[in-house]
């Protein structure tokens, strides 16, 4: 799986094997062997590759584009799956999303919308903390 991911990421970033090798300090042959699956990069090279391609080490190693049918997301970006909108507009936020963003039953969620970019959800407490920070900065300037 890592070999396929390395090849896909390199091509997506329009880099040659030589470019990758130079960026992380290995030979072009090492990159070719990793992509072919005959060897695997050590953990230090995995970290360097993940940083180069701006993905998580976990995704670099384990992501399966064939299974999920979507390209690997950049580090910090997530595709949690598809949810169905209920009759009254309710959705179920996937478990992984709730875990990553520390969402619990009873939390208040703010729904933001942009007609060009779509809908965003955030915890009300996060938005209020942001507001208080901005308000404090504005008061300091005055």
């Amino acid at each position: 799986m890592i070999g396929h991911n390395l090849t896909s990421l390199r091509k997506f970033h329009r880099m040659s094997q030589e470019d990758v090798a130079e960026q992380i300090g290995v030979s072009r042959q090492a990159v070719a062997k990793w992509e072919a699956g005959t060897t695997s990069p050590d953990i230090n090279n995995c970290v360097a590759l993940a940083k180069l391609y701006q993905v998580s080490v976990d995704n670099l190693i384990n992501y399966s584009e064939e299974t999920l049918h979507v390209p690997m997301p950049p580090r910090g970006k997530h595709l949690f799956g598809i949810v169905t909108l209920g009759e009254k507009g309710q959705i179920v936020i996937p478990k992984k999303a709730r875990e990553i963003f520390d969402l619990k039953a009873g939390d208040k969620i703010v729904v933001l919308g942009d007609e060009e970019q779509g809908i965003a959800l955030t915890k009300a407490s996060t938005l209020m903390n942001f507001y208080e920070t901005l308000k404090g900065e504005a008061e300091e300037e005055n």
Side-chain angles (χ1 to χ4, degrees):
M1 188 161 324
I2 189 171
H4 175 31
N5 290 343
L6 291 172
T7 303
S8 295
L9 287 165
R10 178 177 56 77
K11 289 179 179 179
F12 177 79
H13 288 274
R14 294 188 170 104
M15 298 176 79
S16 68
Q17 289 179 340
E18 287 181 3
D19 294 334
V20 173
E22 185 177 307
Q23 290 284 326
I24 66 168
V26 298
S27 69
R28 186 207 54 79
Q29 291 82 357
V31 174
K33 288 179 181 179
W34 297 340
E35 289 184 4
T38 56
T39 63
S40 295
D42 65 23
I43 191 66
N44 291 329
N45 285 322
C46 283
V47 170
L49 288 161
K51 184 175 180 180
L52 175 67
Y53 294 132
Q54 299 175 352
V55 298
S56 71
V57 173
D58 182 50
N59 276 345
L60 179 75
I61 296 168
N62 298 312
Y63 192 82
S64 175
E65 190 172 325
E66 291 89 24
T67 302
L68 298 174
H69 306 291
V70 293
M72 187 183 307
R75 183 179 315 141
K77 308 294 182 193
H78 305 275
L79 176 60
F80 296 109
I82 297 172
V83 298
T84 302
L85 187 65
E87 279 187 37
K88 296 181 180 179
Q90 69 274 28
I91 62 169
V92 175
I93 298 172
K95 182 180 182 206
K96 187 173 181 182
R98 293 191 315 264
E99 290 172 349
I100 288 173
F101 295 103
D102 192 31
L103 298 172
K104 297 178 183 70
D107 283 348
K108 299 210 181 298
I109 305 292
V110 176
V111 180
L112 304 169
D114 181 307
E115 290 183 11
E116 292 178 15
Q117 296 187 19
I119 295 173
L121 306 174
T122 188
K123 285 174 97 172
S125 60
T126 301
L127 188 61
M128 290 308 297
N129 289 340
F130 180 68
Y131 169 76
E132 292 298 327
T133 301
L134 289 178
K135 183 177 168 186
E137 289 175 4
E139 289 173 355
E140 287 177 10
E141 289 180 8
N142 292 334

